[in-house]
Amino acid sequence: MTVQVNAKSSRARRWTRTMVVALAAASLTLSGCTSDRVEKLDTPALAEGNLPAELVASMESVVNTAIAGAGASGAIVGVWVPWSGSWVAGVGTTELGGSKPMDPDMSFRIGEITRAMTCDALYGMVADGTVELNDPVTDYVSGVPNLSDVTLDQLCDSTSGLTTIAPATKARMVSSPEREWSARELASFGLGRGVIAAPGERFVNSDTGYLLLGLALERASGLTPQKYLEKYVNLPLGLENTALPGDAAAAPSKGGPHGYLTSNGPEGWLCASPTDLTKISATTGSTDSGVVSTITDLGQYGLALAEQTLAQGKETDRFDAPLAIADSLPAWSTTIGGVQFADSMVGYAGSTLGYASAVWSDPATGVTVAVMVNNSTNGAGIVRSLAFQLVALAATAPAAGNQTVPEFGIPWTAEAEAATIQTSAICPIP
């Protein structure tokens, strides 16, 4: 399968150093921002050069397996190992049946990783004094009197008790991808399903909550979601290729990866004829799952998220007391504050129509993995396992030059995650 490696080594291998420079510059240029908007990352610098060829070959092999199982045409991958090197590449092609190689500079939809950014904006506004974490959402969003006990931080933590809009909206979005939705209209579908837990009681996966949080932050700040994500996330971190697009339906990048959704028919998955959802309105995801980015930006963001680089307010407990995500997941898989935890690693694995993405970073060692596959049928399942496989392989990377391999233990194995991909596959794996 075609592999397109990023030849721009200053971006592919030295993005941590570039990020620190961007943070310092942004902290001085942002209108209305103080110098404590960002802090310098305290993470080991990346070793110059690429990861060993034999290790890259192993990584490429597991990526190809995941692409096939997901029914995708390709993937974009970034693996950064501070003591050894990096691998940033496009694998496969931009569309099924096509010949254009996937390129690591191409933009794609990052799906529910957007949730972490929306929470970043919340904590940035707390630091500014614009809002308080325990403000009721009803202070900012009208017409939801039954949510008077739901606070902004509960929306961020996904502990509001609200559930998902998907059962009522997915088919409509697939059949009318160019339709522009208002966040309030989408949230109404979730609100109509009621609450399934008391506010603050437990984690409930809730796109409804992140849509309402986005509306509340818009009302509190007087800024559109595009503007407040730019102010509180993209500019401070120097994420030049990351943005919440405008409302009009458009591909995430010109000539970039198509996005697919595979239907299940009477005789099984229709892998030969998935629905192409490349051109769709970002309003289908908005502040829950609408952001577009590149793999290098996503890797930078993952590292910053793990390091809690952005302004968080005084003595924040955003990542304290993480909650179980689901009974089916291991005890080390938890969530709080709009992010997920996999043992010591911080990140998120999620999807939006057409694309599934994951980013994970270890704050102690700086190991960071980001990946996108362009079929969302399996949700976060396959891309999550693929990212974990890449982390497990990265942990075996040898030291380059005078570097030293640090202590880095993880509670999963590449073999176990490979088995999960085999059982989760919707399309044949050669």
Side-chain angles (χ1 to χ4, degrees):
M1 184 171 281
T2 304
V3 178
Q4 187 78 12
V5 178
N6 193 331
K8 300 177 182 178
S9 60
S10 62
R11 280 176 55 186
R13 297 197 299 266
R14 296 197 292 266
W15 58 270
T16 306
R17 184 164 54 208
T18 302
M19 182 179 177
V20 172
V21 174
L23 296 183
S27 68
L28 297 177
T29 58
L30 275 176
S31 174
C33 294
T34 62
S35 60
D36 63 356
R37 169 71 56 199
V38 294
E39 299 173 1
K40 186 175 179 179
L41 297 182
D42 185 20
T43 302
L46 281 179
E48 292 291 336
N50 298 317
L51 289 171
E54 184 177 353
L55 180 57
V56 168
S58 297
M59 290 180 173
E60 184 183 337
S61 176
V62 302
V63 172
N64 280 321
T65 297
I67 289 170
S73 69
I76 303 178
V77 186
V79 180
W80 297 271
V81 185
W83 65 86
S84 189
S86 63
W87 180 51
V88 179
V91 181
T93 58
T94 59
E95 60 182 308
L96 290 165
S99 59
K100 184 176 181 179
M102 195 77 84
D103 190 290
D105 286 335
M106 291 174 173
S107 297
F108 53 88
R109 303 188 199 283
I110 67 171
E112 291 151 335
I113 300 170
T114 302
R115 296 175 172 185
M117 295 182 174
T118 301
C119 288
D120 288 336
L122 166 63
Y123 278 84
M125 291 187 198
V126 170
D128 283 351
T130 303
V131 298
E132 296 288 342
L133 289 176
N134 60 359
D135 285 347
V137 63
T138 49
D139 285 358
Y140 307 102
V141 181
S142 61
V144 287
N146 58 323
L147 300 184
S148 59
D149 292 333
V150 173
T151 60
L152 299 185
D153 62 332
Q154 289 171 345
L155 295 176
C156 170
D157 291 340
S158 207
T159 58
S160 65
L162 294 165
T163 184
T164 179
I165 67 171
T169 61
K170 184 175 179 180
R172 303 181 195 205
M173 291 175 178
V174 172
S175 63
S176 303
E178 296 191 4
R179 176 176 173 177
E180 297 175 17
W181 299 80
S182 73
R184 177 177 281 276
E185 180 182 11
L186 286 181
S188 70
F189 288 103
L191 292 169
R193 301 183 70 203
V195 296
I196 62 174
E201 178 183 318
R202 62 183 174 91
F203 170 80
V204 178
N205 188 25
S206 176
D207 44 15
T208 307
Y210 291 102
L211 293 168
L212 288 173
L213 179 58
L215 286 169
L217 298 182
E218 182 174 6
R219 177 66 181 273
S221 67
L223 300 172
T224 65
Q226 287 83 359
K227 289 297 184 182
Y228 66 66
L229 289 176
E230 180 182 40
K231 175 180 178 180
Y232 289 103
V233 183
N234 303 337
L235 284 176
L237 296 180
L239 305 181
E240 298 178 356
N241 300 295
T242 300
L244 179 61
D247 294 351
S253 62
K254 185 177 181 180
H258 286 232
Y260 296 105
L261 183 70
T262 304
S263 298
N264 197 1
E267 298 182 3
W269 293 102
L270 306 179
C271 295
S273 55
T275 301
D276 191 324
L277 294 171
T278 310
K279 187 177 180 180
I280 193 170
S281 172
T283 61
T284 57
S286 189
T287 53
D288 172 72
S289 55
V291 166
V292 166
S293 189
T294 62
I295 208 68
T296 302
D297 268 18
L298 188 56
Q300 289 182 194
Y301 177 66
L303 182 60
L305 196 63
E307 288 291 329
Q308 298 189 61
T309 306
L310 290 167
Q312 300 293 313
K314 294 182 179 179
E315 303 299 326
T316 176
D317 59 357
R318 176 178 174 183
F319 292 168
D320 289 355
L323 305 166
I325 296 176
D327 292 339
S328 59
L329 294 177
W332 47 258
S333 183
T334 57
T335 182
I336 201 75
V339 304
Q340 296 172 349
F341 300 88
D343 198 49
S344 66
M345 303 199 80
V346 182
Y348 210 99
S351 65
T352 191
L353 290 173
Y355 305 84
S357 302
V359 63
W360 295 98
S361 185
D362 179 60
T365 64
V367 171
T368 302
V369 166
V371 61
M372 178 281 297
V373 295
N374 63 333
N375 189 313
S376 64
T377 307
N378 185 257
I382 287 178
V383 77
R384 185 178 190 269
S385 287
L386 173 56
F388 284 172
Q389 278 187 287
L390 293 171
V391 170
L393 290 170
T396 70
N402 296 322
Q403 299 285 335
T404 301
V405 178
E407 292 284 340
F408 181 45
I410 50 176
W412 63 85
T413 65
E415 293 76 16
E417 297 303 329
T420 299
I421 289 177
Q422 291 285 340
T423 57
S424 301
I426 63 166
C427 294
I429 297 175

